[in-house]
Amino acid sequence: MIRDPFLADMNSNSFPPSDKEKHGTKYTMLTLQHKQGKMDGPSEQELYNLTKLISELHPEIQSKTLVKIQEKVRTNLGLYQFFLDYGMYSDFFIPWLLQIPKALALEVGFGYGYDITGKWRKIPKEDAFYWWVVREGMFIYLRERAVRAASLIEGKKDILFLGAGYLPELRYVGYQAKNLQRIVAVDSDADIPKSELFKSLDGLKNIRLEYHTGNLISTLKDNIELFDVIVMNGVMSYCYDKILDIIWLAIAKIKPGGTFLFDLQLKEWNIVRDALVFDWKTDPPMTLIDDTEKVINMVESRCRNLPVQVSHSVDSNHQSITFTITRFR
C-alpha cells in the first residue's frame, strides 16, 4: 500500500502539531534581527559553552565538526537558539544541518539520516529530532509528494524523473511495481550514483532503472523518446525563469494520455525559516511563490490551445502548489 510511513505518528497525541510562533517566527526573527544588527549574536563564552554541552552530550563528535557549528551559529542567533532548544540533544540534527542543501538532507523527511558517528540509520523515536521528522511542514510535504508521484506512476511503462535525487518515491512509501517498468532518472548531482545510499535502489523488483547525470532542459530537448509520466518534484522552483519553456518541452515528451507532474514552493513560514535559520541556500536560488493566482494563470495560459488538461492543488501544510498536465491526444 502506498502511504506516508509516519501516518500513525501524525495521528498520535504523542507528537503535537508544530506551532508557527514557537517553531518558526521565534527563530526567524532572531536570525533576521541579528543579521540586521538589531541584536547581538552569541558571545565567545556562549559559543564555548554550547560546544562544551554538545561535546558532553555527544562524546564521539569530531573537533572539526564543533568548529563548523561555531562558525554557523556565530553569525546566526536563531540557529544558536535552535541548538539550545532542540538541536544539541539530537544525534542526527548536526549531520543533517551540515548536509544542507544537498538532496541527502531531504532523506530526513522519511526518517533516515547520518548520526553523529557518521552511521546511516533510521532515526529512533527517542531522538529529539524525531518530532521534527513527523511534524515539520516541509518534511510532511516531501512525503505527500512522494505518495502522489508513486501513485501516479503505478502501472505505467515508461517514466522520467527530472531532478530525481535519491528517488524517495520508490523507496519509502510502499511502492511496488507489479509489471515491468522502465524508469529514467536524471539529476545534476554527480555524487548521487556514487553514494552508498544509491545502492538501495539496486534490485528493485520489476524496475529497470537508468540513472543519468545531466541537465533537465537538455534531457527534454535531446531525448527523442516519449514517456507515460514525467515527474519533476522539487526542481521547478530552481528554474522558475524557464518554467514556460520547460512546460512546452515536457508536453512534447509525454505520450497521449501521459502526465507531466511538477510543483512550486510557496512563500510559507516553514520554508522561510529553513532558508534563514538553517541557511538553506541554493545555486541557483529558489523562487518562492506568494501569488498563487498569478502562477496558475501563467501555467494555464501556456497550455491554452494545446491538447492538454491542467489541474493544480496545494498540499495540506501549504508548502507547495502542484500542477498536473495530462495530454489527451
Side-chain angles (χ1 to χ4, degrees), residues 35-288:
K35 291 185 180 297
Q36 292 169 356
K38 298 177 182 178
M39 293 185 72
D40 293 331
S43 65
E44 290 303 311
Q45 184 62 49
E46 288 173 322
L47 291 174
Y48 171 78
N49 291 341
L50 174 63
T51 51
K52 184 172 183 293
L53 283 169
I54 292 173
S55 296
E56 292 171 355
L57 290 165
H58 309 285
E60 311 93 338
I61 195 168
Q62 297 183 3
S63 57
K64 64 180 181 180
T65 302
L66 291 173
V67 171
K68 290 179 181 178
I69 293 169
Q70 281 198 347
E71 290 173 351
K72 281 184 170 292
V73 300
R74 181 177 280 112
T75 58
N76 191 329
L77 186 59
L79 180 59
Y80 169 75
Q81 188 61 51
F82 188 90
F83 262 105
L84 294 177
D85 293 344
Y86 300 100
M88 69 179 183
Y89 301 104
S90 171
D91 283 336
F92 295 83
F93 174 71
I94 292 170
W96 173 77
L97 182 70
L98 298 180
Q99 288 290 339
I100 291 173
K102 295 180 180 179
L104 201 58
L106 303 181
E107 298 288 304
V108 167
F110 298 90
Y112 285 83
Y114 286 109
D115 67 15
I116 207 74
T117 68
K119 182 180 179 181
W120 180 266
R121 62 188 176 99
K122 191 174 184 177
I123 301 173
K125 291 188 177 185
E126 298 75 28
D127 189 89
F129 204 37
Y130 187 84
W131 176 87
W132 287 85
V133 172
V134 175
R135 291 301 188 187
E136 159 60 18
M138 179 50 72
F139 291 163
I140 294 172
Y141 174 64
L142 290 177
R143 300 193 294 270
E144 284 187 12
R145 81 180 183 194
V147 166
R148 182 179 58 237
S151 300
L152 180 63
I153 69 172
E154 211 171 14
K156 304 302 191 296
K157 184 180 178 182
D158 297 301
I159 301 143
L160 173 64
F161 279 90
L162 297 172
Y166 293 89
L167 289 166
E169 300 86 354
L170 306 183
R171 297 167 47 238
Y172 292 119
V173 296
Y175 182 74
Q176 293 182 335
K178 296 175 182 177
N179 300 304
L180 183 63
Q181 293 181 302
R182 176 172 173 259
I183 294 180
V184 179
V186 180
D187 199 287
S188 60
D189 188 347
D191 291 332
I192 291 176
K194 304 173 188 175
S195 71
E196 287 294 316
L197 181 58
F198 186 77
K199 292 181 180 179
S200 64
L201 292 166
D202 289 345
L204 290 172
K205 187 177 180 182
N206 289 328
I207 291 177
R208 191 180 71 182
L209 177 62
E210 301 172 16
Y211 205 104
H212 305 285
T213 300
N215 177 274
L216 66 91
I217 293 180
S218 297
T219 298
L220 289 172
K221 282 183 177 179
D222 300 340
N223 203 315
I224 62 173
E225 298 177 81
L226 298 181
F227 296 90
D228 296 294
V229 180
I230 298 177
V231 177
M232 192 172 163
N233 274 339
V235 185
M236 193 71 88
S237 291
Y238 298 110
C239 43
Y240 183 73
D241 58 330
K242 297 181 176 63
I243 181 173
L244 299 182
D245 293 333
I246 293 170
I247 290 172
W248 177 267
L249 291 168
I251 290 173
K253 292 299 185 292
I254 51 178
K255 300 176 185 178
T259 301
F260 174 41
L261 179 76
F262 70 91
D263 60 345
L264 290 162
Q265 276 61 57
L266 301 178
K267 194 173 185 178
E268 195 271 347
W269 68 267
N270 296 80
I271 299 178
V272 172
R273 182 210 53 214
D274 292 350
L276 290 172
V277 180
F278 301 141
D279 198 29
W280 203 302
K281 303 294 194 307
T282 58
D283 183 21
M286 179 186 290
T287 297
L288 298 179

Side-chain angles (χ1 to χ4, degrees), residues 2-47:
I2 297 174
R3 68 172 190 171
D4 184 338
F6 291 91
L7 204 56
D9 285 339
M10 290 173 64
N11 291 325
S12 168
N13 293 330
S14 301
F15 303 98
S18 62
D19 177 88
K20 179 179 178 180
E21 297 301 319
K22 180 180 178 181
H23 302 114
T25 305
K26 172 184 176 180
Y27 303 110
T28 300
M29 292 308 297
L30 285 172
T31 294
L32 282 174
Q33 290 176 352
H34 180 201
K35 291 185 180 297
Q36 292 169 356
K38 298 177 182 178
M39 293 185 72
D40 293 331
S43 65
E44 290 303 311
Q45 184 62 49
E46 288 173 322
L47 291 174

